[in-house]
Amino acid sequence: MSTSTPTVVLVHGAFADAAGWSGVIAELQGHGIPVIAPSNPLRGLAADAAYLASVTSQIDGPVVLVGHSYGGALITVAGTTENVVGLVYVAAYVLEEGESLGELQGRFPASPLVSNLKQWTYPVADGDPVIEVTIAEEAFPSVFAADVPAAVTKVLAAAQRPLAAGAFGEKATAAAWKTRPSWALVAGADQAINPEVERFAAKRAGATVVEIEGASHAVAVSHPQEVADLIREAVRATS
């Protein structure tokens, strides 16, 4: 146990940015909890986890890592960083060591997300252009944020950040939940990640689980207080 309040590091997932944590950040700051929400590069599991581990290791004192969606895969790998004392998964992938996002998803029926991805390309220093994906704008509300006001969802759809397609096949090189306590929030009406995936993986990790019935994938936007409450529980337990 640490003697100081951990800093909460909020890690957004694909098709989003750190602004999606705004309501959660306000809740945590209102309770005097130090918090940062770095920008996730979304270029691949190994590279993104290395970036997150670098950010985390430069924070003085203990850290609770919080990952939404694909961000859950990143905290699973980067969570082995020495000063990480807890992990919180929010509608997230909780990978086993040696497992990829595609393999975990493949255990269960595909969500509507899979058939609503739009492909783009971007250049790399050496080699052919690489594929990245976003959610088709017309499908974004139902797939990502069905319980968020339409005006807000329209903005989220326009501002979404693409994920490098290669991230789906990369295998996790570590599973920090084996050595760190974990908490998980399941979004009961998630159309981006099958809620069964979230339940299975959270149980496998031995996480303390809460479920919000009717919550979309954008649960941090639609239910910031409940998400913050779970994070505060993790902070209390590791302080």
Side-chain angles (χ1 to χ4, degrees):
M1 288 290 181
S2 62
T3 53
S4 59
T5 301
T7 297
V8 171
V9 177
L10 301 170
V11 184
H12 69 81
F15 323 123
D17 62 23
W21 292 113
S22 297
V24 174
I25 291 169
E27 290 280 343
L28 295 174
Q29 288 178 336
H31 286 88
I33 295 170
V35 55
I36 66 166
S39 189
N40 177 355
L42 301 176
R43 296 297 79 172
L45 182 53
D48 295 343
Y51 175 78
L52 177 58
S54 173
V55 171
T56 302
S57 66
Q58 294 175 71
I59 295 170
D60 289 332
V63 167
V64 169
L65 286 180
V66 182
H68 173 246
S69 191
Y70 165 68
L74 302 189
I75 72 170
T76 297
V77 177
T80 56
T81 308
E82 198 176 334
N83 59 334
V84 174
V85 294
L87 308 165
V88 182
Y89 294 93
V90 179
Y93 292 108
V94 189
L95 297 180
E96 171 63 277
E97 188 174 347
E99 183 178 55
S100 70
L101 298 173
E103 286 167 343
L104 174 55
Q105 286 190 140
R107 294 168 176 260
F108 299 91
S111 72
L113 170 75
V114 179
S115 57
N116 285 290
L117 291 175
K118 181 179 177 181
Q119 290 195 356
W120 307 71
T121 60
Y122 65 97
V124 290
D126 45 357
D128 297 325
V130 179
I131 293 172
E132 61 183 8
V133 292
T134 58
I135 300 172
E137 212 159 319
E138 67 277 5
F140 190 93
S142 62
V143 168
F144 199 90
D147 58 349
V148 175
V152 176
T153 306
K154 205 170 178 181
V155 173
L156 295 177
Q160 61 177 305
R161 289 182 53 212
L163 174 68
F168 292 103
E170 283 189 63
K171 296 179 186 295
T173 54
W177 47 262
K178 292 183 175 178
T179 55
R180 308 287 195 278
S182 61
W183 291 258
L185 186 147
V186 173
D190 201 327
Q191 298 293 301
I193 301 177
N194 184 334
E196 286 299 327
V197 172
E198 298 172 22
R199 294 183 192 109
F200 163 81
K203 185 179 179 185
R204 180 176 65 178
T208 300
V209 181
V210 300
E211 180 160 344
I212 301 180
E213 196 179 336
S216 76
H217 193 59
V219 62
V221 178
S222 58
H223 294 83
Q225 187 175 339
E226 290 96 323
V227 172
D229 285 347
L230 184 64
I231 296 168
R232 286 171 53 216
E233 185 181 318
V235 167
R236 278 196 301 270
T238 54
S239 294

